[in-house]
Amino acid sequence: MGNEGVETMKIATGYTLIFVFLVSFVIVFANTMTEAQDMQSVEEVLEKEIDLETTNMKKNSFLYDKNNKLFTELRHDENRRYITYEEIPEKVIQAFLSTEDQYFYEHEGVDVSAVARALINNAKAGGITEGASTITQQVVRNLFLSHEQTYNRKLNEALYAYQLEKDYSKEEILELYVNSIYFNHGVYGFETASQVYFNKTSSELS
């Protein structure tokens, strides 16, 4: 079989997988809704799942002496120095927006055009090679879901992201994003990474 034939088979396999996934999801979703005694809506289910007040985002604790001088920092397995949106330097926000999600302020959790491009490219490749995740979807993945590369996880990610955008402001979502990114070696959040790798606060970075 020539290269063109192999490429055609990859594309056909990709589209077949997407179709099978969509059909399977519809069947599973229909059965789940039928079994629910109170017939909760997707929105009601997700609202119960997404509760940022109980989100397990571990933060470092700081102990001060009677003169209000820091004498020790207590770290968890997730080393994270949490900062609020107001404390995030504007250049940091702009850097993440330009590289991760240029249309962050325009979409409602999912960038439909990016998803369409990703589906086409994945179909051509015969597997998941492109994710097209927005910043909101990345927050959902970091806090509520796994990082497995499956269409089922991507669909859940999109549903969660849509609900997150309904319940929280763009600023709150950006705050969660900047504090939930993993920078290796147990380091979570941009502020922590700045201090660990550069020995400076994020506001001191050039």
Side-chain angles (χ1 to χ4, degrees), residues 114-168:
V115 171
R117 288 195 301 271
L119 285 174
I120 293 172
N121 292 334
N122 290 339
K124 290 179 179 178
I128 301 179
T129 60
E130 187 174 329
S133 292
T134 63
I135 281 179
T136 310
Q137 287 174 273
Q138 292 181 56
V139 169
V140 164
R141 185 168 65 237
N142 290 338
L143 298 182
F144 303 105
L145 304 175
S146 69
H147 287 255
E148 62 178 341
Q149 288 289 81
T150 64
Y151 283 112
N152 185 53
R153 197 268 295 159
K154 292 296 294 182
L155 184 56
N156 283 332
E157 185 181 285
L159 291 172
Y160 274 57
Y162 176 73
Q163 187 60 42
L164 198 66
E165 289 267 353
K166 289 184 62 178
D167 294 341
Y168 297 91

Side-chain angles (χ1 to χ4, degrees), residues 76-125:
H76 304 278
D77 52 329
E78 295 182 6
N79 181 13
R80 177 183 287 110
R81 294 184 176 182
Y82 194 98
I83 55 176
T84 65
Y85 177 79
E86 289 73 24
E87 295 173 307
I88 305 171
E90 180 63 24
K91 58 191 171 187
V92 172
I93 293 175
Q94 293 305 320
F96 279 123
L97 290 176
S98 63
T99 57
E100 297 292 329
D101 192 352
Q102 296 181 30
Y103 302 103
F104 176 70
Y105 286 103
E106 299 173 24
H107 63 64
E108 295 182 342
V110 178
D111 186 341
V112 178
S113 60
V115 171
R117 288 195 301 271
L119 285 174
I120 293 172
N121 292 334
N122 290 339
K124 290 179 179 178

Side-chain angles (χ1 to χ4, degrees), residues 54-79:
T54 58
T55 295
N56 187 28
M57 188 186 291
K58 297 177 181 177
K59 307 171 187 177
N60 294 354
S61 300
F62 301 90
L63 298 180
Y64 298 85
D65 60 22
K66 63 180 181 180
N67 298 316
N68 203 33
K69 182 179 180 180
L70 176 69
F71 69 87
T72 189
E73 178 180 357
L74 303 178
R75 299 175 181 175
H76 304 278
D77 52 329
E78 295 182 6
N79 181 13

